Amino acid sequence: MQHSLLDSIRTKLIVSFLIVALIPLLLLTFINKQTTEKALTDNARQALSAAAKETANRIDAFIDGNLNSVRVEAILPGLARYLSLTPKQRDDSPEMQLATETLIRLSRKDMLNVLSYALLDLNGKNVLDTYTPNVGKDESGQDYFKKPLQTGFSFVSDMKLSPKIPDLVTIFFSSPVRNAKGDILGVLRVSYNATVVQQLVTRQTERAGAKSFAILLDENNIYLAHSTAPELLFKSIVPLPADVLTQLQQEERLPNSPVKELATNEFKLKQALDNKQSYLIASFSGTGNQDNLIAITHLKYKPWSVLFAQPISIALAPVKKQIHDAIFLFAIIASVVTIIAFTIGQLLTKPIIYLTNIVYHFTIGNLEIRAKINSKDEIGQLAKSFNNMARELQISLETLEQRVQERTAELVIAKEKVEDTNQKLEKLVNLDGLTEVANRRCFDGRLQAEWKRLAREQQPLSLILFDVDKFKLYNDYYGHLGGDDCLVRIAQTVQKIVNRPADLAARYGGEEFAVLLPNTDLAGAIKVAQSIQQAIHDQAIPHAKSDVKDIVTLSLGITSVIPTGDIKPDTLIASADKALYNAKNKGRDRYCCSLEDV
C-alpha cells in the first residue's frame, strides 16, 4: 500500500509540474503556429497575386501592343490602294506587288509566332495572304472580320483551334483598312500562334514560389493555358450547357470531343470566379487533388482570368519544421521537469506516506496506533489533529456498537409497524371490503389517470358496466349473507378474467361492477364482456326467483372512446350506463354497446 500511495503522490506531483510547465509552452507553440501559418499564407498570397497581376499585365500589354500595331499597319497606303482596285485590276498590278511586299515585311516582325498577314475585302474574301493557301478563302463568318466592320476599331479574337493542323491554337488581330476619305475598304487580319500567350502565362511560375503553377481561363471558364497540366487545355472547369457547348465548337473554340471529355468538376473554383473572389483554397483534378492556395486576377482587354496557385503544403512547409523543433524542445523540457518533480516528490512524500500508513492501520482496527511526527509544519499539525481524533473516536466506538444494536432493533420494529399500517391503509383506501376488488374511489382515480394518458397517446379506452339480474329477489330469497357471497364469487371470477396490468375490475356500487380496459377498442371490450358472461354462466350460481334463468346472470353495457380534451370521463360512464340500461330492457342476460354519446 505504501508503495502504491507513494507512486500515486509522485505521479500527481509529476503531472502537476508537467501541466504547469508545458501548458504555457503548448499555448505559445499553438499561437506561434497560427501566426506563422497566417504570415506564410499571406506571403504566398501576395507572391501569387503579384505573379498573377504581372502575367495579366503582360498579356494585356501583348494584346494592346498588337491591337495598336494592326491599327497602325492597316493605314499603310499600299494596303488601301490595293483594296480600292476592282478584282480585275488587282491581278499582277503594281499595287498588288506593293501590298504583298508590305504584308511579307510585316509578317517578318515575329517570324516565330506570326502565322500569316492577310487582306480581306468587304465581302470577307481573303484576297491577299502571306500564307498563300488561304487566298480566296471566305472568312466573312469570322468575328475578326465582322467586328472591325461593325465598330470601326481594331479587334482581338478568342483563341481558336485550327481545324486542319492538330494542336495548333491561333489568336487573330484585325483592323479596318480605310482610304484617305476614311471609308472602310476591307480588313487587315493577323494570325498569331497562341503559344505566345500560353508562354506569357507560364513564364512567371517560378517567381511565384516552389511548385506554383499558372492557369488562363476565358469568359466561359475554359482552360486556355496551364503550366503543369496541358492535357486540360480547351476543357471547361465545369460542364457547360449544351447550347453553349455547340456554339463554342462551331466557333472552333472547343474540340469536337465527347461531352464528358470536355469538362472537369471544379465547382468551388467556378463559384469563386462567379463571386469575383481574389483568393480561395481549392483542389484541381489535374494536379493530384491537393489543396492549393489560388490567387485570381482579370485581364483588361479580354474577359479572361489569370490564376496562380501553389500547394498549401509547400507554402506552409516552414511550419512543419517549426512544429518538429517545438516537439523536440517539448520533450527536453518534459524530461527535465519529470526529474525535478521526482526529486521533490521524494522529499515531500516521505512524511505524507508515513502518516497515510498510520491512518491505514487505524482504519483496519488498530485503534491504539498514533503518529509520531514532531515537526511544526502542516504535516505536524495534521499528525496532531489525527492523534486527537483517534483518541476521541476510540472512546466513542466503545459504546457505539451497543447503541447501534438498540437503534437497529427499534427501527426494525418501527418498519414492521409502518408496513403493516400501509398495507391496511392501502386495503381500506382502494379495495372493496366485501369483494376485495377495487372500490369506487380506486376506479374514479384510475379513470382520470388513464383518460389523461390515453388522450396524449390517442389510444382507445373501453368501459364495461354490469350488474346482477334480479339481485333484489336473490337477496330476499337467499338472505343478505347469501347475496354477499354471490357478489364475492362474481367479483373474484371477473378479477381472474381481467388480468392485464393496466386493466381494472371494480365494485361500482351495490350489485353493479365496472371493468376499465385501457388501450382496448370496442372489439376487444366485447370479447372481455363475452368472457365475463360465459364465466358467470359456468359458475351456475342458483337463482330460484329469477325469471331470466334459474342461475345468476348478468346484464352488461359496453362503450369505447379515444379520449380528448373536449369531453370528460363522466361521458364514458354515462354511455356505458345507457348501454347497460338497453341490455336490461332487451331481456337481461346480455350485453349491449353504445357509442353515440361519446
Side-chain angles (χ1 to χ4, degrees):
M1 174 188 173
Q2 183 173 349
H3 288 294
S4 62
L5 286 172
L6 182 60
D7 291 340
S8 176
I9 293 174
R10 284 176 181 168
T11 300
K12 291 178 180 178
L13 283 172
I14 292 171
V15 170
S16 299
F17 272 87
L18 288 173
I19 290 174
V20 171
L22 299 182
I23 282 183
L25 179 61
L26 289 173
L27 184 60
L28 288 174
T29 301
F30 174 77
I31 294 173
N32 188 39
K33 175 180 176 292
Q34 295 297 106
T35 304
T36 305
E37 282 186 354
K38 185 178 183 304
L40 290 172
T41 302
D42 290 342
N43 289 340
R45 282 179 175 176
Q46 292 174 5
L48 293 171
S49 179
K53 289 178 180 178
E54 183 175 350
T55 299
N57 290 336
R58 287 176 180 270
I59 297 174
D60 279 330
F62 169 78
I63 294 173
D64 185 47
N66 280 282
L67 287 174
N68 289 330
S69 295
V70 74
R71 184 176 65 251
V72 172
E73 292 163 356
I75 64 176
L76 293 174
L79 303 181
R81 284 200 297 268
Y82 174 74
L83 287 175
S84 65
L85 300 176
T86 64
K88 291 182 180 181
Q89 294 173 336
R90 292 172 185 166
D91 293 338
D92 298 325
S93 64
E95 288 81 4
M96 179 178 179
Q97 183 177 357
L98 176 60
T100 302
E101 291 175 354
T102 301
L103 293 182
I104 293 173
R105 186 172 62 254
L106 291 175
S107 66
R108 288 174 179 171
K109 70 178 181 180
D110 187 351
M111 299 182 65
L112 182 64
N113 295 308
V114 173
L115 300 176
S116 72
Y117 263 77
L119 283 177
L120 310 179
D121 65 14
L122 290 175
N123 295 318
K125 181 180 178 181
N126 189 321
V127 295
L128 197 63
D129 199 320
T130 57
Y131 182 65
T132 55
N134 283 338
V135 175
K137 181 180 177 182
D138 182 9
E139 301 181 29
S140 61
Q142 300 294 337
D143 54 357
Y144 56 76
F145 170 73
K146 293 187 289 186
K147 288 292 184 179
L149 295 183
Q150 292 172 1
T151 64
F153 298 106
S154 55
F155 172 76
V156 57
S157 73
D158 293 302
M159 289 189 184
K160 298 177 183 289
L161 295 166
S162 173
K164 296 181 179 179
I165 304 175
D167 299 327
L168 176 62
V169 182
T170 56
I171 184 170
F172 296 90
F173 293 88
S174 60
S175 182
V177 177
R178 304 174 188 270
N179 59 19
K181 297 179 181 180
D183 299 326
I184 296 177
L185 303 177
V187 172
L188 175 65
R189 185 265 293 154
V190 187
S191 174
Y192 261 89
N193 187 337
T195 303
V196 64
V197 178
Q198 295 172 336
Q199 290 174 347
L200 289 174
V201 173
T202 59
R203 189 176 298 169
Q204 300 296 317
T205 53
E206 290 302 323
R207 292 183 59 186
K211 294 189 178 181
S212 60
F213 55 95
I215 296 170
L216 178 64
L217 300 174
D218 70 5
E219 69 275 15
N220 294 299
N221 296 319
I222 296 172
Y223 289 101
L224 299 180
H226 199 304
S227 62
T228 59
E231 67 276 6
L232 296 178
L233 294 184
F234 293 96
K235 294 182 180 181
S236 58
I237 63 174
V238 295
L240 296 173
D243 57 338
V244 175
L245 190 66
T246 302
Q247 180 182 350
L248 292 175
Q249 288 176 331
Q250 291 174 350
E251 295 175 359
E252 299 176 352
R253 295 174 61 187
L254 280 179
N256 293 318
S257 303
V259 174
K260 63 181 180 180
E261 297 179 6
L262 293 178
T264 57
N265 293 292
E266 319 294 352
F267 291 100
K268 188 174 181 180
L269 176 58
K270 174 66 165 60
Q271 183 179 10
L273 290 168
D274 291 344
N275 294 334
K276 307 297 183 182
Q277 291 179 223
S278 299
Y279 302 100
L280 78 151
I281 295 176
S283 61
F284 287 102
S285 58
T287 56
N289 286 325
Q290 59 183 334
D291 284 337
N292 298 280
L293 183 64
I294 306 167
I296 305 173
T297 191
H298 304 283
L299 269 66
K300 176 180 178 182
Y301 293 103
K302 294 291 288 183
W304 296 349
S305 303
V306 176
L307 285 68
F308 265 72
Q310 183 183 41
I312 287 288
S313 58
I314 300 299
L316 300 182
V319 176
K320 293 183 178 179
K321 183 179 184 305
Q322 176 182 311
I323 293 175
H324 180 270
D325 295 342
I327 292 174
F328 180 72
L329 179 62
F330 185 87
I332 293 176
I333 295 176
S335 300
V336 173
V337 170
T338 302
I339 294 171
I340 294 174
F342 183 82
T343 303
I344 294 176
Q346 288 280 68
L347 298 175
L348 295 179
T349 56
K350 186 175 181 180
I352 297 175
I353 295 301
Y354 168 75
L355 185 58
T356 303
N357 192 37
I358 294 295
V359 173
Y360 170 74
H361 284 88
F362 182 82
T363 56
I364 63 174
N366 186 1
L367 303 182
E368 303 292 335
I369 195 168
R370 298 290 184 270
K372 296 180 181 179
I373 297 177
N374 297 319
S375 62
K376 295 183 180 181
D377 58 11
E378 288 80 0
I379 299 297
Q381 294 296 323
L382 184 60
K384 183 177 179 180
S385 298
F386 167 76
N387 291 337
N388 293 334
M389 179 198 69
R391 281 192 293 270
E392 294 177 1
L393 187 58
Q394 185 177 9
I395 295 171
S396 299
L397 288 175
E398 292 175 354
T399 58
L400 180 61
E401 184 174 354
Q402 182 179 357
R403 291 167 58 192
V404 168
Q405 290 177 350
E406 292 174 355
R407 184 59 179 164
T408 301
E410 292 175 359
L411 291 174
V412 170
I413 295 172
K415 181 181 178 183
E416 291 176 352
K417 290 180 179 180
V418 169
E419 289 178 350
D420 183 60
T421 301
N422 286 340
Q423 290 176 358
K424 291 178 180 178
L425 183 60
E426 181 72 21
K427 188 172 183 180
L428 289 173
V429 170
N430 291 323
L431 293 182
D432 179 63
L434 174 64
T435 61
E436 294 188 355
V437 297
N439 58 17
R440 175 68 176 274
R441 174 190 177 92
C442 180
F443 170 80
D444 290 341
R446 184 72 68 85
L447 175 59
Q448 293 289 338
E450 293 294 347
W451 188 271
K452 292 179 181 179
R453 179 177 72 84
L454 296 174
R456 291 193 303 270
E457 299 176 2
Q458 282 297 285
Q459 295 295 319
L461 175 63
S462 296
L463 174 64
I464 302 173
L465 283 181
F466 67 88
D467 62 9
V468 183
D469 294 330
K470 304 294 182 178
F471 187 69
K472 184 176 183 305
L473 297 176
Y474 188 96
N475 254 346
D476 293 343
Y477 184 75
Y478 293 100
H480 289 289
L481 291 178
D484 289 348
D485 182 61
C486 176
L487 293 177
V488 170
R489 290 181 65 182
I490 291 172
Q492 292 305 314
T493 300
V494 173
Q495 185 72 59
K496 293 177 182 178
I497 295 172
V498 183
N499 53 13
R500 293 192 309 173
D503 295 344
L504 179 71
R507 186 179 181 190
Y508 196 72
E511 71 274 17
E512 191 172 9
F513 293 85
V515 177
L516 193 63
L517 302 170
N519 297 96
T520 303
D521 57 13
L522 183 62
I526 290 174
K527 290 181 180 180
V528 174
Q530 290 171 342
S531 299
I532 293 172
Q533 189 177 36
Q534 185 60 46
I536 299 303
H537 284 172
D538 293 343
Q539 288 286 321
I541 303 171
H543 192 343
K545 294 299 182 179
S546 174
D547 56 0
V548 180
K549 283 185 179 179
D550 57 356
I551 60 174
V552 169
T553 59
L554 303 178
S555 295
L556 303 97
I558 310 170
T559 190
S560 182
V561 69
I562 296 177
T564 66
D566 299 332
I567 56 177
K568 296 182 179 180
D570 293 345
T571 311
L572 185 70
I573 298 173
S575 179
D577 191 58
K578 182 176 181 181
L580 173 59
Y581 180 78
N582 290 337
K584 290 181 178 181
N585 283 346
K586 291 181 179 181
R588 304 177 188 268
D589 189 24
R590 69 190 66 234
Y591 63 84
C592 285
C593 301
S594 175
L595 287 171
E596 60 184 5
D597 294 329
V598 181

